[in-house]
């Protein structure tokens, strides 16, 4: 038989557990590190750029998108070599993200912090984030330097 104090103690423990569970469920999943905000520059008429922004947002990135009709000047300003250019350019922390780079690769870049200028998926590869539809093709994410040198960062089938 439980006395009044025992009953109240059990009720408080149960209520505390319920509150803790609900609070934990309300917190969205986060990267194991603090992500800086992502700023995307894109041509106002490009639909795949908008889809890439949605991919990054749904992956938990805080994204600010700006339309810019003179993307070549912007890419020149941020030192994106001509061999790795794509349709949009993003900035996150000290890195440049060019084209349809998956969110998971951006997370790895931020976690590992290699000494590179940024990442790129050169061109517009069907099957990369924002370029879904049609017959998906394998693609490579390259890490690049402003000098134009590249190394393979990730491969996606």
């Amino acid at each position: 038989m439980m006395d009044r104090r025992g009953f109240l103690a059990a009720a408080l423990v149960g209520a505390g557990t319920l509150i803790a569970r609900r609070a934990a469920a309300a917190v969205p999943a986060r990267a194991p590190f603090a992500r800086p905000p992502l700023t995307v520059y894109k041509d106002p008429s490009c639909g795949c750029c908008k889809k890439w922004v949605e991919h990054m947002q749904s992956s938990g990135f805080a994204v600010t998108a700006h339309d810019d009709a003179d993307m070549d000047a912007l890419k020149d300003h941020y030192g994106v070599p001509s061999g790795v250019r794509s349709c949009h350019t993003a900035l996150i922390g000290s890195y440049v993200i060019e084209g349809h780079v998956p969110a998971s690769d951006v997370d790895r870049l931020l976690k590992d912090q290699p000494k590179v200028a940024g990442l790129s998926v050169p061109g517009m590869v069907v099957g990369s984030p924002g370029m879904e539809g049609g017959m998906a093709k394998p693609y490579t994410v390259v890490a690049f330097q402003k000098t134009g040198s590249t190394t393979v960062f990730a491969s996606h089938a």
Side-chain angles (χ1 to χ4, degrees):
M1 190 99 176
M2 189 181 300
D3 66 0
R4 184 174 165 187
R5 284 186 182 163
F7 175 78
L8 288 174
L12 287 173
V13 168
T17 301
L18 180 63
I19 290 169
R21 283 185 184 161
R22 285 191 178 174
V27 176
R30 303 182 88 184
F33 52 89
R35 289 176 173 149
L38 179 73
T39 304
V40 180
Y41 297 92
K42 62 183 191 61
D43 187 282
S45 63
C46 187
C48 66
C49 297
K50 185 176 178 182
K51 288 181 180 180
W52 185 77
V53 166
E54 291 168 358
H55 163 74
M56 297 305 284
Q57 288 171 325
S58 69
S59 297
F61 285 84
V63 181
T64 302
H66 301 281
D67 289 338
D68 192 324
D70 192 359
M71 292 299 297
D72 284 333
L74 184 113
K75 292 171 193 299
D76 290 343
H77 176 76
Y78 288 108
V80 179
S82 61
V84 301
R85 290 186 179 188
S86 186
C87 54
H88 56 267
T89 302
L91 308 173
I92 187 162
S94 62
Y95 296 107
V96 178
I97 307 299
E98 183 69 14
H100 297 269
V101 176
S104 59
D105 290 338
V106 176
D107 272 338
R108 187 174 133 217
L109 174 77
L110 294 172
K111 181 179 165 263
D112 295 350
Q113 297 188 4
K115 294 185 184 308
V116 299
L119 298 180
S120 174
V121 173
M124 297 172 69
V125 184
V126 175
S128 60
M131 292 291 296
E132 294 87 357
M135 191 75 158
K137 298 179 181 179
Y139 64 96
T140 301
V141 176
V142 296
F144 66 89
Q145 300 292 349
K146 291 181 179 182
T147 61
S149 65
T150 63
T151 57
V152 172
F153 187 80
S155 295
H156 298 275

